[in-house]
Amino acid sequence: QVQLVESGGGLVHAGGSLSLSCAASGGTFSSHAMGWFRQAPGKEREFVAAIYWNGGRNYADSVKGRFTISRDYAKNTLYLQMNSLKPEDTAVYYCAAGAAGGSRPRSYDYWGQGTQVTVSS
């Protein structure tokens, strides 16, 4: 079965960095867009970043210049490098894959279980 498993979350001080990984199995996802979303308590799930089969990338304005999404096709793994972290980045981060991709959660078919990122002030 298709599985996406996130890792790398944890507690970090403001201004610090974390790197998240998403290991995909049960499919190559070579023709899929892959993305990161996050959800904070009391808020809807929001788009963070996406990377497409042709290498194109999109970022939410709130993370642009601080976060970098990348993909290793050989390892079938998605990454999110997060620098200059702020307390408002605190959320559960989810990895997703979809045939169409984009910034809308409904465009993604597969989801990971999420990993908690907490940024202390």
Side-chain angles (χ1 to χ4, degrees):
Q1 67 275 28
V2 173
Q3 285 190 327
L4 301 175
V5 181
E6 302 95 336
S7 62
L11 176 65
V12 66
H13 297 298
S17 298
L18 281 175
S19 182
L20 305 183
S21 298
C22 171
S25 62
T28 63
F29 301 100
S30 60
S31 63
H32 284 66
M34 299 193 72
W36 290 96
F37 292 77
R38 66 187 183 186
Q39 188 166 20
K43 295 185 177 181
E44 295 183 351
R45 190 166 299 186
E46 67 173 348
F47 171 76
V48 176
I51 186 167
Y52 304 98
W53 65 269
N54 62 358
R57 304 174 187 184
N58 285 332
Y59 296 93
D61 289 341
S62 60
V63 306
K64 193 171 298 182
R66 298 188 297 121
F67 291 11
T68 302
I69 188 170
S70 61
R71 184 174 182 175
D72 188 328
Y73 284 93
K75 296 181 178 180
N76 210 19
T77 302
L78 179 73
Y79 303 95
L80 184 68
Q81 178 65 47
M82 304 184 293
N83 298 323
S84 302
L85 283 162
K86 305 174 181 179
E88 50 263 44
D89 294 318
T90 296
V92 176
Y93 283 70
Y94 297 90
C95 171
S103 61
R104 298 179 177 181
R106 70 178 186 179
S107 297
Y108 292 82
D109 304 306
Y110 307 104
W111 293 85
Q113 83 291 342
T115 185
Q116 177 71 48
V117 172
T118 302
V119 184
S120 62
S121 60

